[in-house]
């Protein structure tokens, strides 16, 4: 895994690397030797975003490099996405960032440098070890935070990228248990029949048709501070159940546990930073499969909360397993309850792959998270819990249905279903995310993406401070 060089690395041994804003190129060139300006002109370098200009010395070796940032107002707007993929375009040498970066910008620069080096190569033949470009931690950079974040996000991406043949409910459970042991967290796992015995009937119903039994992972850490509950959707593969998806719809369903992966990454960051919180993590881990024991359209399921749910669509399974876990988390009266889930295709139709849909029963909490998302370049977009749509969850035979007969407002209706399992006293955030990069971009290969983790960590870190 890529690492930052520490401040103990002699800067004289590292090559200079200048971040250059497009509109300030002339000012940067004016501060360089005239040969640099001539070389930049000959190379057609205009400081476009992601463009790299290698600067030669008098002997034909690389003397430094400039990174184009495109059209920014100043370096305070720099994000990790400006730097991601940079290491691939530099020669295998040590570099130091030249420029007066604020602590936030320095963290973004360093994280982007590391994050863009991620590759999922578990199933490829080992490549020959080649030396890559390395970065000396910028002067104002919190290297410990950057490296911890890089490790957590890379782990989440590995989990999401791993196919269901190697990451079923038990394997996801093992990953969570390994995290608990690493940080001396308390944990318990309910599997199969134990879910019914302990009153988690919907988790059991969704996962019972699979040859891999359903599980509930329950992790607790910390003994002081605010009570933070995290719930992640851990559907390790979603066939749609008896309401079977078509081939195209099933193709990426290994990533349907993306919410669980992001929750685990967030929990890892919280524990590694030793934040003064009482943390609880609940992950229902299941496969939604087809079989003789599969739950059916028209079935009525009991729930942990005590209400009943009529199944209108077995492909709306994520909200069912989340609901039982959310009810359990809510019962402990947390100061903040967060659930993350790849819940609806409707959210992607509305907002695309890069903007998770955010719902909350607390407007100020929602606004606060949106601000952190902007500051961390980890965006979310607010969506309404539009009460009139609750009638679409009505059932003639049960307390509510799990799906609407309408094709409208699918993400809103999914969030309204989950809201039924949250008490009015509990501040609650629900993020409907995609957890995937559908197109190739610098430093972001097609594959898993760990969304909302950095924004939520910043929110929780601020909220756990004394007086907040």
């Amino acid at each position: 895994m890529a690492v930052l060089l520490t401040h103990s690395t002699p800067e004289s041994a590292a090559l200079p690397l200048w971040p250059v804003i497009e509109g300030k190129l002339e000012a940067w060139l004016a501060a360089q030797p005239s040969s640099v300006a001539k070389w930049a002109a000959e190379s057609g370098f205009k400081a476009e975003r992601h463009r790299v200009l290698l600067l030669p010395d008098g002997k034909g070796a690389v003397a430094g490099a400039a990174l184009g940032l495109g059209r920014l107002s100043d370096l305070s707007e720099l994000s990790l996405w400006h730097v991601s993929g940079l290491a691939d375009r530099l020669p295998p040498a040590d570099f130091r960032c030249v420029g007066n970066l604020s602590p936030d910008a320095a963290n973004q620069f360093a994280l982007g440098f590391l994050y863009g080096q991620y590759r999922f190569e578990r199933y490829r033949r080992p490549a020959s070890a080649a030396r890559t470009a390395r970065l000396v931690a910028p002067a104002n950079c919190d290297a410990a935070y950057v490296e911890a974040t890089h490790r957590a996000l890379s782990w989440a991406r590995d989990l999401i990228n791993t196919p269901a043949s190697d990451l079923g409910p038990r394997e996801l459970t093992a990953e969570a248990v390994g995290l608990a042991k690493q940080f001396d967290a308390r944990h318990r796992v309910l599997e199969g029949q134990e879910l019914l015995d302990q009153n988690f009937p919907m988790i059991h119903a969704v996962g019972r048709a699979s040859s891999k039994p359903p599980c509930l992972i329950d992790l607790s850490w910390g003994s002081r501070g605010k009570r933070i509950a995290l719930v992640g959707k851990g559907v390790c593969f979603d066939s749609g159940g008896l309401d079977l998806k078509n081939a195209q719809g099933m193709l990426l369903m290994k990533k349907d546990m993306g919410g669980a992966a992001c929750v685990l990454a967030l929990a890892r960051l919280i524990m590694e930073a030793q934040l003064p919180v009482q943390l609880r993590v609940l992950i229902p881990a299941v496969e939604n499969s087809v079989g003789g024991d599969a739950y059916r359209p028209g079935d009525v399921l009991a729930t942990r909360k005590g209400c009943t749910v009529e199944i209108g669509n077995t492909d709306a399974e994520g909200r069912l397993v989340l609901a039982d876990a959310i009810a359990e988390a809510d019962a402990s009266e947390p100061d903040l309850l967060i659930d993350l889930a790849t819940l609806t295709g409707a959210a992607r139709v509305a907002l695309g792959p890069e903007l998770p849909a955010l719902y909350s029963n607390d407007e100020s909490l929602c606004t606060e998270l949106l601000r952190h998302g902007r500051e961390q370049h980890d965006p979310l977009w607010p969506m309404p819990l539009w009460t009139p749509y609750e009638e679409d969850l009505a059932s003639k035979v049960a307390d509510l249905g799990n799906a609407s007969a309408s094709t409208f407002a699918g993400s809103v209706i999914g969030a309204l279903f989950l809201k039924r399992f949250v008490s009015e006293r509990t501040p609650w955030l629900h993020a409907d995310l995609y957890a995937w990069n559908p197109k190739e971009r610098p430093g972001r290969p097609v594959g898993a993406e760990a969304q909302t983790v950095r924004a939520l960590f910043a929110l929780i870190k601020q909220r756990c401070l004394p007086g907040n």
Side-chain angles (χ1 to χ4, degrees):
M1 180 177 286
V3 295
L4 287 176
L5 299 176
T6 65
H7 293 296
S8 61
T9 301
E11 288 206 352
S12 59
L15 300 177
L17 173 61
W18 288 272
V20 183
I21 295 171
E22 189 171 331
K24 299 183 179 182
L25 175 61
E26 294 301 325
W28 176 74
L29 289 173
Q32 305 300 319
S34 58
S35 59
V36 172
K38 183 177 180 181
W39 177 249
E42 291 288 337
S43 301
F45 179 72
K46 298 179 182 178
E48 311 97 311
R49 185 171 177 174
H50 293 304
R51 179 77 185 275
V52 172
L53 176 69
L54 297 179
L55 304 174
D57 63 12
K59 300 178 181 179
V62 174
L67 169 65
L69 299 178
R71 299 178 181 179
L72 301 182
S73 297
D74 55 55
L75 290 176
S76 66
E77 297 179 359
L78 186 149
S79 81
L80 76 164
W81 307 122
H82 290 96
V83 188
S84 60
L86 172 60
D88 294 337
R89 301 191 296 279
L90 292 174
D94 296 343
F95 288 85
R96 56 183 173 84
C97 182
V98 180
N100 186 22
L101 298 181
S102 67
D104 287 342
N107 285 347
Q108 290 290 321
F109 192 97
L111 181 58
F113 191 90
L114 297 186
Y115 194 79
Q117 297 180 54
Y118 174 84
R119 300 290 185 274
F120 183 65
E121 297 180 326
R122 175 172 175 174
Y123 301 99
R124 293 179 180 272
R125 293 180 179 177
S128 56
R131 188 184 169 206
T132 60
R134 300 189 300 177
L135 180 70
V136 175
N140 289 329
C141 168
D142 183 347
Y145 162 76
V146 169
E147 292 191 325
T149 302
H150 174 54
R151 287 192 296 269
L153 298 181
S154 295
W155 179 43
R157 293 168 88 182
D158 280 347
L159 293 176
I160 298 166
N161 278 322
T162 302
S165 56
D166 290 326
L167 192 81
R170 280 180 173 167
E171 289 81 9
L172 182 57
T173 297
E175 293 283 345
V177 169
L179 178 70
K181 291 179 178 179
Q182 181 180 349
F183 292 98
D184 295 321
R186 303 171 298 281
H187 68 277
R188 71 167 182 161
V189 176
L190 301 178
E191 181 178 292
Q193 180 62 35
E194 291 176 314
L195 290 164
L196 289 179
D197 297 341
Q198 297 296 321
N199 193 27
F200 292 94
M202 289 203 293
I203 298 174
H204 181 269
V206 172
R208 72 191 185 203
S210 173
S211 60
K212 302 176 180 180
C215 300
L216 176 66
I217 305 150
D218 188 349
L219 180 157
S220 299
W221 175 88
S223 58
R224 61 191 177 94
K226 287 186 167 62
R227 297 183 300 277
I228 308 295
L230 307 178
V231 179
K233 176 185 170 184
V235 178
C236 297
F237 191 82
D238 180 18
S239 70
L242 293 180
D243 287 308
L244 194 66
K245 294 179 183 289
N246 61 26
Q248 187 63 32
M250 219 181 293
L251 193 59
L252 289 181
M253 284 301 100
K254 68 176 183 179
K255 76 169 187 67
D256 211 19
M257 38 61 66
C262 291
V263 157
L264 288 173
L266 177 56
R268 177 172 177 161
L269 273 177
I270 291 169
M271 292 188 286
E272 192 159 352
Q274 293 289 303
L275 295 188
V277 298
Q278 299 176 66
L279 177 67
R280 190 177 186 193
V281 177
L282 288 160
I283 295 175
V286 302
E287 282 192 347
N288 187 22
S289 298
V290 177
D293 197 25
Y295 77 118
R296 295 161 289 265
D299 283 358
V300 175
L301 303 182
T303 72
R304 184 167 186 81
K305 192 174 179 68
C307 59
T308 55
V309 176
E310 181 184 13
I311 303 305
N313 190 333
T314 63
D315 197 19
E317 85 299 331
R319 64 197 65 180
L320 301 176
V321 300
L322 283 173
D324 269 357
I326 286 172
E328 170 62 14
D330 181 73
S332 61
E333 300 187 2
D335 297 297
L336 177 59
L337 171 57
I338 300 167
D339 78 82
L340 304 181
T342 52
L343 199 68
T344 67
R348 307 287 65 80
V349 172
L351 300 175
E354 296 181 30
L355 276 178
L358 175 63
Y359 298 87
S360 180
N361 60 2
D362 184 323
E363 187 173 342
S364 63
L365 175 63
C366 181
T367 300
E368 189 179 347
L369 179 57
L370 292 172
R371 176 177 61 81
H372 285 295
R374 289 190 297 269
E375 292 174 352
Q376 299 300 320
H377 304 279
D378 191 14
L380 303 97
W381 197 261
M383 296 285 279
L385 289 165
W386 187 246
T387 305
Y389 291 162
E390 286 190 346
E391 65 186 29
D392 284 12
L393 292 170
S395 166
K396 295 185 183 301
V397 298
D399 294 316
L400 72 161
N402 80 321
S404 169
S406 168
T407 58
F408 296 139
S411 180
V412 177
I413 290 169
L416 287 170
F417 181 92
L418 297 180
K419 182 175 177 287
R420 295 285 189 97
F421 297 84
V422 181
S423 302
E424 290 186 5
R425 68 172 183 268
T426 303
W428 168 62
L429 292 165
H430 160 61
D432 187 344
L433 47 86
Y434 193 51
W436 194 261
N437 286 316
K439 62 183 180 182
E440 198 85 16
R441 286 168 293 177
R444 285 187 274 183
V446 171
E449 186 60 77
Q451 296 175 311
T452 75
V453 175
R454 292 176 289 114
L456 286 166
F457 178 74
L459 171 76
I460 293 168
K461 183 178 180 180
Q462 182 182 59
R463 289 215 154 201
C464 76
L465 296 175
N468 287 349

